[in-house]
Amino acid sequence: MIKLAKWLAYSAIALVAALIVLAWAGGAINWNQEPPYELVQSWGTKGDAPSQFNDPTGIAVTAGEVFVSDARNSRIQAFDKQGNFKRAFGQDRLGRPMNLDIADGKLYVPDYFKDAVFVFSLAGDYQRTIKAEDGFNSPGGVAVRADGTLLVADTYASRIVHIASDGRLLKTWGQNGRTTFSYPTDVTLAPGGDFYVADGYHDRIQQFGPDGAFVRKWGGPFGLNIHGPFKGWFTTVTSLAIGPEGSVFAADFYNDRIQKFSADGTFLTAFAPPRQPGPGHSEIGLAIAGDGTVYSANFKANRIERWESTRRP
């Protein structure tokens, strides 16, 4: 029995070592990658003037505009697709806006400090405030379903909450079994009704069906809480976005990059801005335009970045 136990231990160590070596060598889990995306434009510097940011954390796009959570300035800024400033709003209500969602012509803003989701028109007019009937604890992300109900990443409560538009509690995930979370930061909806959760401090993504049934998880070997810079691994996932073809983009914050996966979690590519000197980390928020263009919030540089695929048709 002792020999068997030693053999199993050595085999496990050898397997992990092989995974690490292969990951460094070019993606152990998935060999066929897409080309990376190219950074084609950026705008913004640190400050509180128009087009300046103090810790941008969330981003959302429409056909013609880009909306940014300018977190420490307690506001939303809106730009055209070329980065030209158009307006700012929310300063009289917001504390620390986080990952954004747009649904039915409205902007949904979870607020980390105010424990609420604020709703604005796209023109910037305040509509209403939504609070969970049992209370939020620093919500970080929101996704609005077609029926008007909300899925909220309730970060410090380590749960996902399904609520009606009036805050009535419908369902929660995260209390037991394999659907546990550690500081989930974002949630996003796929076209078919599945939803994906950025399971922040578990360094993984979890996928659920339209009924909330667990589908799969990935990140690190076997979807475990093991962080790292390898393909398909994360060191704190802070934002998710779905591409036009159903692919899943993830902001891998402490690895300073964006990763792209197929809908089933197959690694496709990763890309990152040039490294900058000094402390801090970069890619924290994500949004995908209808044409597949990627917009990201660079936390360290206090700027917005626009990325385009280098893949040729």
Side-chain angles (χ1 to χ4, degrees):
M1 292 296 293
I2 295 176
K3 289 184 177 180
L4 177 60
K6 285 184 177 180
W7 180 84
L8 290 172
Y10 289 142
S11 297
I13 292 170
L15 176 60
V16 172
L19 284 171
I20 291 173
V21 170
L22 286 170
W24 275 116
I29 301 171
N30 313 280
W31 296 103
N32 298 320
Q33 299 182 58
E34 294 179 359
Y37 283 54
E38 177 185 11
L39 180 61
V40 295
Q41 184 189 8
S42 64
W43 70 87
T45 57
K46 187 168 184 176
D48 57 9
S51 298
Q52 293 184 326
F53 305 101
N54 190 352
D55 293 356
T57 55
I59 190 165
V61 296
T62 64
E65 293 188 317
V66 179
F67 296 83
V68 180
S69 287
D70 188 6
R72 296 291 183 179
N73 285 326
S74 302
R75 66 185 179 183
I76 303 297
Q77 292 196 67
F79 305 86
D80 65 21
K81 288 294 187 67
Q82 288 69 49
N84 298 304
F85 175 81
K86 299 188 71 174
R87 60 191 173 278
F89 55 91
Q91 299 94 320
D92 57 338
R93 296 185 183 273
L94 298 174
R96 188 177 179 182
M98 301 297 287
N99 286 300
L100 304 173
D101 192 30
I102 293 173
D104 195 27
K106 298 179 179 62
L107 182 70
Y108 289 77
V109 185
D111 195 301
Y112 199 74
F113 286 166
K114 298 291 186 72
D115 292 328
V117 176
F118 292 90
V119 185
F120 297 87
S121 72
L122 297 184
D125 300 315
Y126 169 75
Q127 304 282 300
R128 66 184 189 277
T129 302
I130 303 172
K131 295 187 176 183
E133 62 180 342
D134 64 344
F136 289 129
N137 191 353
S138 298
V142 62
V144 183
R145 285 180 153 172
D147 62 2
T149 62
L150 284 70
L151 294 168
V152 180
D154 197 11
T155 302
Y156 266 76
S158 287
R159 65 177 185 168
I160 300 298
V161 186
H162 185 201
I163 60 172
S165 58
D166 60 1
R168 182 166 36 91
L169 191 65
L170 301 175
K171 190 173 182 178
T172 62
W173 295 263
Q175 286 72 38
N176 53 60
R178 51 186 177 174
T179 58
T180 57
F181 305 107
S182 180
Y183 298 96
T185 55
D186 199 13
V187 57
T188 191
L189 283 165
D194 281 19
F195 62 94
Y196 296 84
V197 176
D199 193 0
Y201 286 3
H202 272 156
D203 303 311
R204 66 190 180 190
I205 294 171
Q206 294 201 54
Q207 179 185 355
F208 299 85
D211 60 353
F214 174 81
V215 176
R216 63 175 59 88
K217 60 187 176 182
W218 70 90
F222 317 115
L224 299 176
N225 179 26
I226 301 176
H227 64 266
F230 313 120
K231 296 173 181 178
W233 295 30
F234 306 102
T235 305
T236 307
V237 191
T238 52
S239 182
L240 298 174
I242 304 298
E245 73 283 13
S247 54
V248 181
F249 291 78
D252 187 7
F253 182 58
Y254 285 103
N255 286 324
D256 301 299
R257 65 181 178 178
I258 298 165
Q259 295 196 67
K260 180 183 180 182
F261 303 86
S262 66
D264 64 0
T266 301
F267 174 83
L268 297 177
T269 192
F271 47 100
R275 289 192 177 275
Q276 295 181 312
H281 295 279
S282 58
E283 307 310 281
I284 194 170
L286 283 176
I288 314 299
D291 63 358
T293 300
V294 177
Y295 291 84
S296 65
N298 187 315
F299 189 81
K300 178 179 179 178
N302 285 287
R303 72 185 185 198
I304 302 305
E305 298 166 343
R306 180 165 63 91
W307 304 82
E308 293 182 357
S309 175
T310 58
R311 181 174 56 176
R312 298 293 179 258

